[in-house]
């Protein structure tokens, strides 16, 4: 896909994800109250939290699309890490509240058996969340968006937790009354773990975390295959939201001219960008090969010695003239 189409797909995915979360929240709240399922009600609170955080997610996706300027010369891509971090922390806070609520209810003995139709609510919730996860993951892989990837992981967590809710409802109806509350506790623990993973990944990105190692190895193999005469001295990359910054230091013969270096730089940038479309900031530096550097250093040292000897000879020639003037 072209970059503009990728951005349109990403924005559309963020809008769809937000309104799907709102629809599921309203649906599960109504069905949870009508059926008496505590697990379904707890899960609806999580969906309402999702709706709020995904609204922030959408705002970050829009902001990250703004072009670079003098204040932010590398663009606004890292705002998506901030959004993902907020989503992760919000999920952990909501999960902790859900956990405490259900543990206290279970400890006080305030339990009830949900109605049969609560089963359909859990099934619909699980199916919808799994479909959204697959769609969002596909979009995130094409756009390299950490915010959309976080939303995809959130939906996968919703699918798992909906299955836990379903198991709790079924077991509670079959006679294990506390199962509905135990399912709600399990949901809380699952959501807590997902929130921690999302928050840590966003922190990794904000701290200039490295590009995945297999991507770096791919660039190294690309250079070895197409430019065997150029050796890689240093190769690093950092995440900048949806894009990467790649820093290359290459060893090259000192016989290569400035024009040839410039042409090689353009060729390498173009080739890397074709193979890794998310590598939008590529910096390439050349250093002379070790043998050429030593030779150059010897030549420069010899020239300096000759110049020093010339100065000494000139000084010796002028010294008698200076003495005669002092004597006069």
């Amino acid at each position: 896909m072209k970059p503009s189409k990728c951005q349109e797909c990403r924005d559309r995915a963020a809008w769809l994800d937000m309104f799907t979360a709102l629809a599921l929240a309203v649906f599960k709240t109504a069905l949870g109250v009508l059926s008496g399922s505590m697990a379904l009600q707890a899960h609806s609170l999580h969906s309402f939290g999702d709706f709020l955080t995904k609204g922030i997610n959408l705002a970050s996706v829009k902001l990250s699309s703004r072009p670079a300027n003098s204040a932010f010369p590398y663009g606004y891509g890292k705002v998506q890490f901030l959004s993902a971090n907020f989503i992760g922390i919000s999920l952990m806070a909501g999960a902790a509240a859900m956990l405490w609520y259900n543990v206290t209810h279970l400890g006080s003995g305030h339990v009830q058996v949900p109605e049969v139709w609560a089963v359909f609510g859990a099934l619909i919730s699980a199916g919808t969340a799994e479909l959204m996860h697959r769609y969002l993951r596909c979009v995130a892989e094409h756009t390299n968006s950490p915010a959309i990837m976080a939303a995809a992981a959130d939906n996968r967590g919703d699918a798992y937790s909906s299955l836990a809710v379903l198991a709790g409802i079924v077991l509670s109806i079959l006679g294990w009354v506390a199962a509905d509350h135990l399912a709600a506790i399990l949901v809380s623990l699952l959501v807590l773990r997902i929130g921690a993973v999302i928050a840590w990944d966003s922190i990794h990105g904000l701290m200039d975390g490295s590009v995945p190692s297999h991507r770096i190895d791919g660039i190294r193999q690309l250079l070895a295959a197409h430019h065997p005469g150029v050796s890689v001295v240093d190769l690093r990359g950092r995440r900048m939201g949806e894009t990467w910054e790649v820093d290359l230091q290459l060893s090259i013969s000192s016989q290569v001219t400035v024009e040839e270096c410039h042409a090689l730089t353009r060729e390498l940038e173009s080739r890397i960008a074709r193979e890794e479309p998310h590598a939008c900031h590529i910096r390439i530096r050349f250093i002379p090969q070790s043998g050429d550097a030593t030779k150059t250093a010897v030549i420069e040292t010899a020239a300096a010695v000759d110049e020093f000897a010339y100065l000494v000879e000139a000084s010796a020639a002028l010294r008698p003239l200076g003495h005669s003037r002092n004597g006069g």
Side-chain angles (χ1 to χ4, degrees):
M1 289 190 296
K2 296 180 179 179
S4 60
K5 291 184 178 180
C6 286
Q7 291 180 3
E8 292 174 3
C9 183
R10 180 199 60 192
D11 294 348
R12 184 168 57 250
W15 279 104
L16 181 61
D17 184 40
M18 184 178 68
F19 284 111
T20 299
L22 177 61
L24 283 176
V26 174
F27 172 71
K28 286 186 285 188
T29 298
L31 200 59
V33 171
L34 292 174
S35 64
S37 172
M38 294 300 298
L40 204 56
Q41 291 180 48
H43 209 244
S44 68
L45 293 176
H46 170 56
S47 295
F48 273 118
D50 276 354
F51 170 68
L52 295 177
T53 55
K54 287 171 182 178
I56 297 174
N57 187 25
L58 177 63
S60 74
V61 167
K62 286 289 190 181
L63 181 59
S64 67
S65 300
R66 295 177 61 181
N69 52 39
S70 58
F72 296 93
Y74 291 96
Y76 293 80
K78 283 194 174 183
V79 73
Q80 293 199 31
F81 289 129
L82 291 174
S83 171
N85 186 258
F86 182 82
I87 290 175
I89 294 175
S90 299
L91 287 176
M92 288 191 290
M98 287 166 57
L99 183 63
W100 175 256
Y101 178 79
N102 284 280
V103 167
T104 54
H105 267 252
L106 193 60
S108 64
H110 182 67
V111 294
Q112 59 180 340
V113 179
E115 299 291 339
V116 177
W117 55 77
V119 172
F120 298 101
L123 283 173
I124 292 173
S125 176
T128 304
E130 179 62 22
L131 288 175
M132 284 302 301
H133 163 75
R134 297 188 180 190
Y135 169 62
L136 292 173
R137 185 174 181 84
C138 178
V139 173
E141 288 175 350
H142 279 83
T143 62
N144 199 35
S145 169
I148 298 298
M149 186 61 76
D154 183 23
N155 277 275
R156 171 53 64 86
D158 284 350
Y160 287 155
S161 58
S162 295
L163 293 177
V165 169
L166 175 63
I169 293 172
V170 171
L171 290 174
S172 184
I173 292 173
L174 293 177
W176 189 9
V177 181
D180 188 45
H181 288 270
L182 292 174
I185 292 173
L186 179 59
V187 167
S188 302
L189 294 175
L190 287 172
V191 173
L192 188 65
R193 180 184 178 278
I194 291 170
V197 171
I198 293 174
W200 170 247
D201 182 71
S202 65
I203 291 172
H204 180 268
L206 287 171
M207 294 180 65
D208 288 340
S210 174
V211 171
S213 58
H214 68 279
R215 298 291 195 179
I216 294 293
D217 292 338
I219 296 176
R220 194 182 300 274
Q221 293 170 6
L222 177 69
L223 293 173
H226 296 279
H227 300 279
V230 177
S231 58
V232 178
V233 178
D234 188 28
L235 173 56
R236 293 177 291 174
R238 63 171 177 161
R239 302 163 63 194
M240 301 180 65
E242 297 178 2
T243 61
W244 303 336
E245 181 181 20
V246 177
D247 193 352
L248 269 169
Q249 191 173 19
L250 305 175
S251 176
I252 194 170
S253 172
S254 60
Q255 303 300 318
V256 178
T257 64
V258 174
E259 289 79 5
E260 290 173 337
C261 282
H262 181 72
L264 181 58
T265 299
R266 294 301 184 192
E267 182 183 353
L268 290 174
E269 289 176 346
S270 177
R271 193 179 295 277
I272 293 173
R274 284 198 305 268
E275 296 294 328
E276 298 291 348
H278 302 302
C280 296
H281 306 278
I282 304 172
R283 295 192 301 173
I284 301 175
R285 292 176 295 170
F286 294 102
I287 61 173
Q289 292 178 354
S290 58
D292 294 337
T294 305
K295 182 178 178 181
T296 303
V298 170
I299 292 173
E300 290 177 352
T301 303
V305 171
D306 291 342
E307 183 178 355
F308 179 74
Y310 174 77
L311 290 174
V312 170
E313 292 176 357
S315 176
L318 291 174
R319 190 176 297 115
L321 179 60
H323 282 300
S324 63
R325 286 182 179 177
N326 291 334

